[in-house]
């Protein structure tokens, strides 16, 4: 069950647990603020630390930020896979209230501005990773770090969610759900993102830098960008000036 706020206009959207919110969300939020886009963050089982951070961030940014929440209930068999799917599982309930959502990883940062696509859907198709077979090959046919849907594509959001529910709840199920669903969408209705829009090699000029695997903890170029964007520590002592 979702509770909290709902987005009512086009937003960049990410979802996470409390640990990832603390580690990654401030950099993402400030980077989106700097390009003038509104933000929606969905947080699983928020705690007081996260709610306090959220309040500070909302006061310190210029764009509109909304947050929604859910409680996990019974522990999923594969918690890591559950969190990777969280944004898509919550998407149908959120998208019906928003005009459009650019769905991204919470550990990404926006290095450049972008124009909203003119189609109702968008995703990042790619070739399966070399050396992969079966489930993993299917799962790497899509990069899940940027997906775009308008409220007119609510049926696509529901189809992705339903495929995730079918399972199995294991790593790559979100990407398999996206691949299978977008295979049924007409090409004319899809914007296809590529490495010029999002990359995980941190190339100058792309819109989104997203941390993949150990890169999110080891790549200095990415870490320096995140540190530069994260102005939360500067906001805390001065936040009451805006109250």
């Amino acid at each position: 069950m979702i509770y909290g706020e709902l987005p009512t206009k086009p937003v960049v959207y990410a979802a996470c647990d409390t640990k990832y919110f603390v580690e990654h969300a401030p950099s993402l939020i400030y980077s989106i603020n700097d390009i003038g886009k509104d933000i929606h963050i969905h947080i699983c089982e928020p705690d007081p630390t996260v709610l306090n951070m959220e309040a500070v961030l909302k006061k310190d940014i210029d764009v509109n930020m909304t947050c929604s929440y859910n409680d996990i209930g019974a522990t999923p068999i594969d918690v890591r896979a559950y969190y990777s799917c969280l944004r898509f599982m919550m998407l149908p309930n959120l998208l019906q209230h928003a005009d459009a959502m650019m769905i991204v990883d919470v550990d990404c940062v926006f290095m450049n501005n972008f124009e909203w696509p003119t189609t109702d859907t968008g995703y990042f198709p790619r070739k399966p990773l070399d050396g992969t077979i079966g489930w993993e090959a299917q799962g790497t046919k899509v990069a899940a770090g940027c997906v775009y849907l308008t409220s007119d594509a609510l049926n696509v959001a529901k189809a992705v969610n339903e495929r995730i529910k079918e399972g199995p709840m294991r790593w790559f199920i979100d990407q398999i759900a996206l691949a299978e669903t977008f295979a049924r969408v007409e090409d004319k209705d899809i914007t296809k993102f590529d490495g010029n829009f999002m990359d995980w090699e941190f190339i100058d000029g792309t819109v989104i830098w997203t941390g993949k695997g150990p890169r999110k903890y080891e790549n200095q170029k990415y870490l320096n960008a995140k540190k530069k964007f994260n102005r939360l520590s500067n906001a805390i002592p001065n936040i009451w000036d805006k109250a």
Side-chain angles (χ1 to χ4, degrees), residues 7 37-38 46 49 55 63 98 107 127 157 178 190 204 208 225 234 241:
K37 297 288 195 289
D38 290 335
T49 297
V63 298
D107 56 13
K127 294 181 179 179
L178 289 168
I190 304 173
D204 295 334
I208 299 172
N234 296 330
D241 294 343

Side-chain angles (χ1 to χ4, degrees), residues 7-13 95 97-103 116-117 119-120 148-152:
T8 57
K9 58 179 69 174
V11 290
V12 176
Y13 160 55
L95 183 61
H97 300 281
D99 291 330
M101 304 184 88
M102 180 67 73
I103 306 137
W116 297 104
T119 59
D120 285 326
Y148 176 77
L149 295 175
T150 72
S151 55
D152 288 335

Side-chain angles (χ1 to χ4, degrees), residues 24 27 74 80 91 113 170 172 204 206 210 219 227 240:
H24 302 291
S27 296
R80 182 170 174 249
L91 182 59
N113 204 349
R170 54 184 288 206
F172 290 124
D204 295 334
T206 54
T210 190
N219 186 283
K227 184 178 180 180
W240 303 116

Side-chain angles (χ1 to χ4, degrees), residues 165-204:
K165 285 180 180 178
E166 289 174 16
M169 181 56 75
R170 54 184 288 206
W171 198 246
F172 290 124
I173 182 61
D174 57 333
Q175 288 156 267
I176 285 174
L178 289 168
E180 292 182 1
T181 301
F182 273 95
R184 303 194 299 272
V185 179
E186 291 188 37
D187 264 5
K188 67 180 179 61
D189 297 323
I190 304 173
T191 294
K192 294 182 179 178
F193 304 118
D194 58 22
N196 294 315
F197 189 81
M198 179 186 75
D199 85 283
W200 41 94
E201 301 295 341
F202 317 119
I203 299 168
D204 295 334

Side-chain angles (χ1 to χ4, degrees), residues 18-19 21-23 26 43 45-57 232 236:
T18 56
K19 180 175 182 288
F21 185 92
V22 172
E23 289 183 5
I43 309 160
E45 297 194 317
D47 62 18
T49 297
V50 164
L51 295 175
N52 288 337
M53 285 178 62
E54 175 195 323
V56 172
L57 286 161
L232 184 61
I236 290 171

Side-chain angles (χ1 to χ4, degrees), residues 71-132:
D71 297 317
I72 201 168
T75 303
I77 294 172
D78 189 329
V79 175
R80 182 170 174 249
Y82 174 86
Y83 286 131
S84 74
C85 295
L86 181 63
R87 56 191 153 171
F88 300 113
M89 293 189 293
M90 302 300 155
L91 182 59
N93 288 325
L94 298 171
L95 183 61
Q96 61 185 313
H97 300 281
D99 291 330
M101 304 184 88
M102 180 67 73
I103 306 137
V104 300
D105 296 321
V106 76
D107 56 13
C108 79
V109 288
F110 279 72
M111 301 301 296
N112 288 286
N113 204 349
F114 69 93
E115 297 295 327
W116 297 104
T118 57
T119 59
D120 285 326
T121 73
Y123 82 126
F124 192 126
R126 62 180 184 178
K127 294 181 179 179
L129 292 181
D130 292 341
T132 59

